[in-house]
Structures are given as structure tokens and as C-alpha cells.
Amino acid sequence: MRKYVDGHTHLWPKESLTQEMRERGETVGYSIPDINVSEVVREMDEADIDFVVVIAYPMRKLWNAREDFPLRVIDACKEYPDRFSIVGGIEVNELTTEEVKKWLEVQYSSGVTGFKLHPPHMWVKPNDYREEERGLKGLELLYQFAEDHDLPVIIHTGTSFFLTARNKYADPVFVDDVAVDFPKLRVIMAHMGRPSWTSAAFQLVRIRRNVYGDLSSIPPKRLTEYLPRVDEIADKLIYGSDAGGPGVKGLKAHLTEFLNSGVSLRTKEVMTRDNPRKFFRVIER
Ligand SMILES: [Zn+2]
């Protein structure tokens, strides 16, 4: 068996993109790269990567990707169902509760392995289901569904430079309510709040049993600068490159850098091999 898992990428096959997604990239500050699935698989083989997690969530405010986007990604990866794991998502503040229910079922039966919530891109706070916040019923449905089906929810934390992003939604502290209100739900904070909120994210992982983190998009060379005590919480962290996202070198280059970084050997092992397999399943499950 191949060794590694990359737990956070945006390697969206070019067949899954709409014309609008391609065209609007420039207007929000980032053009989506042309990704060829068989080339990705070749790079994975070279890097000894077993499977990669592709995060494909709706992004109306960026380039009008909708809830069918993850279905197109699954379809585009169908020749390699054991090499890809697809995370979907629902833009709960844009849909009725009936539509949220429908899309949860559709994405689940199509084979998503979890759901991504991107607060700065979607303009929603992770705890907006609460009455003293926005009372957003669809968000509660999303968490409830994920909890009932034992699917993780990945919540983006930390800033985003996309021109339509609102970084007031980027603070990981709002994840705390989710952890308390959905005790059986496994929440993964993507990027561990980098760059401004890494110590808050670290504390949440320490004190909340069901809160985890991924280290995607943090340059491996600067990891211990952002998270000096990373080894202490290694059992709750997942390796991810963020490949396909802005400024990331690529699957293999990022993995090599991480494996050569200053964290302990045990941390490297659990993060790249054991932990991601506890959360993510490939399309062919
Ligand atoms: Zn990402």
C-alpha cells in the first residue's frame, strides 16, 4: 500500500469547472489552474501518495460554483475511485431548508466524504445556527446530518485574500459553539487559523475533544513558528498541502518539505498516514 494521504487539496479536474468559474477567476484575484486527473495520479505515484482529499464546495460569491460542483468533481475522478476522496459543501445561507435537506442527501448518496464550510467565502459564521446569532436553520441541519452520518465538517479558519472574502468570519473562536452543541460531530479547522489566530485554534484543539485541525497552506518551514507546540496535539492534526490553491508548490514538493521540516518524526507519521485515514474515505467506499 502506498504510504501517504494529502488531506486538503483543491485539485479540481478541468472537466468539473464551468465556463463562469474559469472566467470569473481574474475578477476575484485568482485564476483556477487547468488540472488533469491522470497527471495528478502520476504525481501521487511519484510521491507515494495513496489518495488525496479534494475539497469542492459551493462558492457563489467567488465564481458561482453551486451544490452540484462536488458531483462534477466526483464524476471527473471516476476512473480512479480509490485515489480520490471528495469533500462537498452547502451554501446554507443561500438556500431554503428544503433545498439544504435535498442537497445533503444528494451529495451524500453521490459519495462525498464530508462537508466544507467556508465562512469568509460564504459570509456565514460557524455558529450562525444559534438563536442569539442568525438563527440559521440550514446550518443546524448541515451539522446534524454530518453528525448522524459520521461525516467530518471542515471549517475554514484564517484569512483569505480573495477579493470577495470577508475576513470577519475567519476567527476560529466561533467553532467553539459547534463543538459544544454537536458533541459527536468531528470538526476539522482548516489551516489552524493562520496567520493571525493560530494560538486560538491550538487551544480549541486542546480543550475540545471533537475539534481537530489541518495544517494545509502553512509553509512547512514556518510551521513551528506558527504552532510551537505542534507535537503536543499531533494526534488531532491532519496533513494537507492545499495544492491547487494560491501559492502552493504542488503535492510532491509540499510533502517533501513537510517530511523535511523540524517537527518530530512521530508527528510526521501520524499526520500524513494515520490521522487522515480516520476521517476520509475514497469515492469507492
Ligand atoms: Zn484550502
Side-chain angles (χ1 to χ4, degrees), residues 13-54:
K14 56 182 181 213
E15 301 83 356
S16 68
L17 306 176
T18 60
Q19 193 58 29
E20 193 176 5
M21 290 174 77
R22 291 171 184 278
E23 286 170 7
R24 274 175 60 178
E26 294 294 345
T27 68
V28 294
Y30 182 64
S31 323
I32 307 176
D34 251 358
I35 303 285
N36 181 308
V37 175
S38 53
E39 278 169 25
V40 172
V41 172
R42 201 174 316 138
E43 189 179 355
M44 288 163 66
D45 288 343
E46 275 174 35
D48 208 10
I49 295 173
D50 182 16
F51 69 92
V52 300
V53 179
V54 180

Side-chain angles (χ1 to χ4, degrees), residues 10 13 159:
H10 299 281
T159 51

Side-chain angles (χ1 to χ4, degrees), residues 149-200:
H149 294 78
D150 197 27
L151 301 176
V153 172
I154 301 174
I155 300 181
H156 174 103
T157 56
T159 51
S160 166
F161 76 87
F162 284 85
L163 297 175
T164 56
R166 298 284 165 170
N167 286 309
K168 64 184 174 188
Y169 298 110
D171 192 330
V173 77
F174 305 115
V175 173
D176 190 53
D177 276 338
V178 187
V180 172
D181 294 333
F182 300 90
K184 289 203 282 281
L185 177 68
R186 297 187 293 170
V187 182
I188 301 168
M189 290 182 295
H191 321 303
M192 286 294 283
R194 63 88 186 102
S196 314
W197 294 283
T198 47
S199 62

Side-chain angles (χ1 to χ4, degrees), residues 8 10 116 191 216 242:
H8 186 131
H10 299 281
K116 164 84 170 267
H191 321 303
S216 60
D242 215 25

